[in-house]
């Protein structure tokens, strides 16, 4: 396709409109709607992988539109009543098909690339961790738009009706959402077989910054989408019923091969990026490479918290501060360790603190590790929050202070903590220490109510 042909096709086709709609729709969702892509440690400009995954997840809206615009383009010859004339020309039908698909591919890929480029500029300004593991995610997303448009053109050429574009758009939107089984990117719910659900181009909403798609997912989806694109091209060029029937071979073969390659186990769909999870340390304080910019602000408060923990717990005290790399589903118990204070930057109590407040937050987490997580999606349990504030205040030797950054009101924390704090501080120092250590053991085991233990209850 030379430059002159490209200019002509861009003027007389809907390809520029398709690219514009995909671009505007995606940017509108990312910037005008306060969605989950702007919250937590895995928001869309936090890291390279989360940026690529969030732009892929929004294909749930843009991919059906690409299919619909492709179908609209495929009706052009039928609307102009030129089908018979074009079949009588010496130019091969496959050349015309390649021209149509190529023009749509240029505009759709350009639109998708602009969104990715916008995210890349913001990510590069905010993170020191750079890698190229996110590229396959974005490349498969761009391929999905091209394959969808090609399929739409082929179907519309085969079924030349004014109802074909809207029917395909709505049908693909419904099918895409039915195939989206991933409510949680760490532990998917098996609404449909995992391999079948992965035939949908969009990915799950991003919640864990360390997760990425496995290589088998990239390969399987690429084979499936290439088969789809080949079928679209073949349907565009087909002139007989037999040729149209044979045109279905690539998409069926692509689906069959993809089903052999895609992981059957949903837990193998998303894997931990080992390079991103590599620990970067300053003494006994460590964070992952994705969060290494936070290490400078965490090192001194972390070292101070470890000294205070040693004085309060003796040999039972944690000896290191480390960012948690355990992957969990929403509502499940966080990773825990008796030897390490595990930090989750999705917890605003820690992520939003600096200096002495960060030392207090780390001390609270080391003394009474959470059994019920608090993050942008979870509020945690009020009793655990109050217990953390009490043990931190006891170690620091001051009065009780509510923890900042939780979803629980300060007044609720104070009213629940006041009677327990009075009971605890009224005891002899040795008895206070016994209760503090019992509360620490209860929090580590998650087999007792930490606040109840501080108030004098018997650990279960």
């Amino acid at each position: 396709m030379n430059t002159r042909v490209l200019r002509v096709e861009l003027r007389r086709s809907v390809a520029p409109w398709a690219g514009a709609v995909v671009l505007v729709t995606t940017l509108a969702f990312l910037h005008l709607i306060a969605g989950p892509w702007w919250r937590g440690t895995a928001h869309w400009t936090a890291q390279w992988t989360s940026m690529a995954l969030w732009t892929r997840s929004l294909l749930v809206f843009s991919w059906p539109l690409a299919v619909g615009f492709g179908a609209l383009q495929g009706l052009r010859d039928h609307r102009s009543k030129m089908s018979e004339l074009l079949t009588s020309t010496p130019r091969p039908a496959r050349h015309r098909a390649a021209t149509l698909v190529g023009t749509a591919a240029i505009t759709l890929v350009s639109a998708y690339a602009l969104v990715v480029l916008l995210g890349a500029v913001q990510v590069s300004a905010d993170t020191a961790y750079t890698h190229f593991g996110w590229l396959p995610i974005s490349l498969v997303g761009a391929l999905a738009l091209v394959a969808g448009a090609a399929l739409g053109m082929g179907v519309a050429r085969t079924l030349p009706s004014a109802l074909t574009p809207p029917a395909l758009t709505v049908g693909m939107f419904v099918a895409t959402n039915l195939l989206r089984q991933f409510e949680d990117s760490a532990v998917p719910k098996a609404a449909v077989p995992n391999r079948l659900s992965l035939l949908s181009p969009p990915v799950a909403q991003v919640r864990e910054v360390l997760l990425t798609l496995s290589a088998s997912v990239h390969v399987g989806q690429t084979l499936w989408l290439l088969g789809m694109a080949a079928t679209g091209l073949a349907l565009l060029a087909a002139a007989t019923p037999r040729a149209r029937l044979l045109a279905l071979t690539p998409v069926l073969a692509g689906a069959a091969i993809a089903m052999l390659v895609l992981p059957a186990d949903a837990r193998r769909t998303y894997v931990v990026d080992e390079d991103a999870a590599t620990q970067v340390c300053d003494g006994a304080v460590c964070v992952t490479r994705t969060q290494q910019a936070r290490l400078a602000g965490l090192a001194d408060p972390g070292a101070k918290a470890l000294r205070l923990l040693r004085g309060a717990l003796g040999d039972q005290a944690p000896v290191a501060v480390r960012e948690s790399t355990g992957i969990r589903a929403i509502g499940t118990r966080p990773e825990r360790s008796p030897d390490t204070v595990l930090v989750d930057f999705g917890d605003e109590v820690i992520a939003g603190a600096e200096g002495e407040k960060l030392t207090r937050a780390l001390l609270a987490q080391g003394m009474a590790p959470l059994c019920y997580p608090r993050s942008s999606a979870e509020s945690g349990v009020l009793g655990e929050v109050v217990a953390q504030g009490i043990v931190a205040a006891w170690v620091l030797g001051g009065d009780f202070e509510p923890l900042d950054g939780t979803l629980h009101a300060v007044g609720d924390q104070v009213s629940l903590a006041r009677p327990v704090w009075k009971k605890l501080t009224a005891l002899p120092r040795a008895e206070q220490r016994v209760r503090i250590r019992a509360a620490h053991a209860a929090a580590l085991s998650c087999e007792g109510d930490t606040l109840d233990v501080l108030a004098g209850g018997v650990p279960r």
Side-chain angles (χ1 to χ4, degrees):
M1 182 169 58
N2 58 42
T3 306
R4 182 178 62 83
V5 174
L6 175 61
R7 289 199 302 266
V8 171
E9 282 298 326
L10 287 174
R11 286 198 303 268
R12 64 196 292 261
S13 72
V14 299
W17 291 103
V21 169
V22 167
L23 176 63
V24 171
T25 300
T26 305
L27 291 179
F29 272 97
L30 288 174
H31 291 281
L32 301 181
I33 299 176
W37 42 83
W38 279 116
R39 297 195 297 266
T41 56
H43 63 84
W44 89 284
T45 58
Q47 300 291 339
W48 293 100
T49 300
S50 57
M51 180 272 295
L53 287 172
W54 272 121
T55 51
R56 269 285 296 277
S57 72
L58 292 179
L59 287 180
V60 69
F61 304 106
S62 57
W63 189 72
L65 290 174
V67 177
F69 273 106
L72 189 61
Q73 178 64 35
L75 289 178
R76 183 179 65 182
D77 295 344
H78 176 74
R79 291 196 309 268
S80 59
K81 300 179 181 180
M82 293 177 57
S83 300
E84 293 184 6
L85 175 62
L86 291 173
T87 56
S88 65
T89 61
R91 187 184 183 192
R94 63 179 180 274
H95 288 182
R96 296 195 302 273
T99 300
L100 285 175
V101 174
T103 305
I106 290 172
T107 58
L108 289 171
V109 171
S110 298
Y112 190 75
L114 283 174
V115 176
V116 173
L117 179 62
L118 177 62
V121 170
Q122 297 179 72
V123 172
S124 61
D126 294 337
T127 181
Y129 174 57
T130 302
H131 64 103
F132 296 100
W134 60 274
L135 274 176
I137 302 172
S138 294
L139 290 175
V140 173
L143 176 61
L145 290 172
V146 176
L151 182 66
M153 292 179 196
V155 172
R157 179 67 61 84
T158 305
L159 302 172
S161 168
L163 296 178
T164 300
L168 271 180
T169 303
V170 173
M172 290 302 178
F173 181 76
V174 172
T176 298
N177 280 276
L178 287 177
L179 289 176
R180 292 181 72 207
Q181 77 174 63
F182 297 119
E183 297 296 332
D184 185 318
S185 59
V187 184
K189 298 179 181 179
V192 294
N194 188 61
R195 288 187 175 118
L196 185 60
S197 69
L198 289 175
L199 296 182
S200 174
V203 298
Q205 292 187 358
V206 189
R207 194 177 57 82
E208 297 282 356
V209 73
L210 296 178
L211 286 181
T212 188
L213 289 170
S214 64
S216 60
V217 174
H218 296 318
V219 174
Q221 290 183 335
T222 298
L223 292 171
W224 155 243
L225 293 170
L226 287 175
M228 184 187 299
T231 288
L233 282 166
L235 286 174
L236 270 175
T240 65
R242 175 184 172 84
R244 294 187 184 101
L245 189 60
L246 289 175
L248 299 177
T249 302
V251 72
L252 295 177
I257 298 173
M259 295 292 277
L260 296 176
V261 175
L262 293 169
D265 184 359
R267 295 176 185 272
R268 291 173 52 205
T269 300
Y270 290 87
V271 295
V272 174
D273 185 335
E274 298 295 340
D275 185 60
T278 301
Q279 298 286 322
V280 180
C281 300
D282 183 342
V285 180
C286 302
V287 297
T288 63
R289 291 188 66 186
T290 60
Q291 302 290 349
Q292 60 187 356
R294 296 178 181 264
L295 182 58
L298 184 67
D300 289 342
K304 182 177 180 180
L306 290 175
R307 291 195 299 271
L308 292 169
L309 287 167
R310 178 72 177 180
L313 299 175
D315 294 338
Q316 299 177 4
V319 295
V321 175
R322 176 175 63 83
E323 182 183 353
S324 175
T325 57
I327 305 301
R328 63 176 186 84
I330 292 177
T332 58
R333 186 172 296 172
E335 182 185 8
R336 35 203 328 98
S337 169
D339 302 322
T340 307
V341 180
L342 293 171
V343 174
D344 178 8
F345 289 113
D347 181 356
E348 283 300 318
V349 172
I350 292 174
E354 296 178 352
E356 291 301 319
K357 287 189 175 181
L358 182 54
T359 299
R360 177 182 288 271
L362 294 171
L363 188 58
Q365 178 65 12
M367 291 293 295
L370 293 172
C371 293
Y372 299 93
R374 41 169 197 249
S375 66
S376 58
E378 301 153 299
S379 60
V381 176
L382 177 59
E384 283 196 330
V385 174
V386 171
Q388 283 195 331
I390 289 175
V391 294
W394 185 87
V395 174
L396 291 170
D399 199 2
F400 171 79
E401 291 184 20
L403 293 176
D404 296 331
T406 73
L407 298 181
H408 300 290
V410 171
D412 293 339
Q413 294 186 54
V414 172
S415 61
L416 186 60
R418 187 179 294 114
V420 178
W421 178 251
K422 287 183 178 179
K423 287 182 181 179
L424 179 66
T425 54
L427 296 172
R429 187 67 179 179
E431 181 62 24
Q432 292 179 30
R433 186 178 296 275
V434 169
R435 286 200 185 180
I436 290 293
R437 294 192 174 187
H440 173 69
L444 276 177
S445 64
C446 287
E447 295 179 354
D449 187 323
T450 309
L451 188 62
D452 187 50
V453 172
L454 288 171
V458 179
R460 295 193 298 272

